[in-house]
Amino acid sequence: MLLMKFLIRGGKKLSGEIAVKGAKNAALKAMAAALLFENPVVLENMPLIEDVSRAGELLGGLGASIKKRGEGAIEIDPRGAVQSELEQEIAKRLRASVVVVGPLLARGGKASFPYPGGCVIGRRPIDVFLDGWRAMGATIKMEKGNGFCVEAGKLRGADYTFRVVSVTGTETLMMTAALAEGRTVLRNAALEPEIPALARFLNSSGARIRGAGTPTIEIEGTAGKLLRAAEAFRMIPDRIEAGSFLILGAALAPGDGLRISGCNPEHLTAVLAALRDAGARPEIGKDWVTVRRPEKLRAVNIQTREYPGFPTDLQAPFAVLMTQAEGESIIFETIFENRFGYAEDLKRMGANIFFADQHRIVVKGPTVLRGREIESPDLRAGLAFVAAALLAEGESKISNVYQIDRGYEKIDERLRKLGADIERVR
Ligand code: EPZ
């Protein structure tokens, strides 16, 4: 699997309709939430991606059982989850593994885990998780080999203010607090749509969470009593996948454009605004957006921000779009400190990019990109390389496709249906 590559012959125009899958970053949290329940739970609209498989293996390693339940649905039975130690190898590959620790701690009073892995996009510390658990009465020990052991006889509600706004930090502490004794207030919480989605799911299963989607979240804990899972829970559409397709449409779909269906345009306002500034005129329906390549693409400056700002996960694909735009575009990454690893490869493809400082690149366009052999460093940069290769003259080979499969379900097949010349080869 690790040896697969995408072979892409660029220059083909895209058109047609592409449906957005369920959100990866909602699915991973919903899977972790299964540990808060006394009964099995069915999760629907799950994307078939590598990260979901890894999360399944992680839960399996704890003793939970996971079954397929037809197209895009799984059932997780947490009743056998008696282990307290996350499997090292899997946890190291998945940043979201730390999200499992909160429910695991709440369920059994103990959790051991290695420093979580995931994308190489910065330092990605976990201090807010550790601080939050400590505030709830847990003790944390460093274990040999760089791992942690968190223990709590009893978790108590706490008034906790995040030093930095953290998406997974907010979700994890919200889940931990759901079973704690008393009331927790989380301040300076993240606002990403996956957070109110998770809160709705937990509330439909008996949790008492208010304010998710605002900076202050209040949770009345159950004092250790497990929740009773609602019948089924459906993942919200993946806003990053939708945004990636919007960018592809603005770059590669003249004529009738691309129709991105099954999305939630309300979650895409920052990307839509940037595309409008670039000259695209997206048409927006209730759950779809159509976008086409404008006659003239204009350079736009973007600054990544916490939701509802421009998502860091779309920064790399947007930079690729800007290689085709007229003028200079400043791409300012404010969330992660190491998210321009892809820029050198784009330069090798012919992009005119220079580094202003550690957080800013300047893309000068328009430039002709040429096909190259490139390796995908992380999943969002991987998707950006797919976009660049589709735009480029000639043939590109993108290796380390596993990174792209971590977050995008069968992207090659789905892009082929839109007219892309992309093959998965050994
Ligand atoms: C989530 O990561 C997403 N991952 C990321 O998506 C996304 O890029 C990111 O949010 C920002 O939107 C998941 O949901 C699984 P953060 P997360 O904690 O939660 C600092 C993708 O491609 N920080 O909100 O790990 C941190 O270094 C992935 O799908 C601390 O300082 O991001 C960063 O600068 C990649 N201490 C900032 O906060 C901490 O304890 C925001 O990170 C935690 C974070």
Side-chain angles (χ1 to χ4, degrees), residues 164-226:
V164 289
V165 179
S166 168
V167 178
T168 45
T170 301
E171 294 161 328
T172 305
L173 295 186
M174 189 169 88
M175 289 194 279
T176 313
L179 301 193
E181 187 172 298
R183 182 159 175 264
T184 295
V185 184
L186 300 176
R187 302 179 198 272
N188 198 24
L191 310 180
E192 271 67 6
E194 293 76 24
I195 296 164
L198 178 62
R200 281 195 297 277
F201 171 39
L202 296 176
N203 284 343
S204 68
S205 307
R208 283 174 294 166
I209 302 171
R210 283 193 311 172
T214 78
T216 307
I217 304 179
E218 290 174 24
I219 305 126
E220 286 297 335
T222 62
K225 190 175 177 307
L226 293 173

Side-chain angles (χ1 to χ4, degrees), residues 24-26 28-29 51 95-96 99 119 121-130 163-169 171 190 192 239-240 305-307 311-313 334-337 339 378-380 406:
K24 165 178 90 78
N25 287 344
L28 298 174
K29 324 309 166 51
D51 271 12
R95 164 78 185 177
V99 177
C119 292
I121 54 178
R123 286 179 299 113
R124 308 196 79 179
I126 57 163
D127 51 314
V128 302
F129 298 75
L130 303 178
R163 179 182 58 77
V164 289
V165 179
S166 168
V167 178
T168 45
E171 294 161 328
E192 271 67 6
R239 63 196 164 86
I240 303 301
R305 283 280 167 204
E306 293 88 1
Y307 187 83
T312 169
D313 292 340
T334 74
I335 308 289
F336 293 112
E337 61 283 319
R339 229 179 180 183
D378 68 70
L379 81 146
R380 306 303 174 190
R406 282 184 47 210

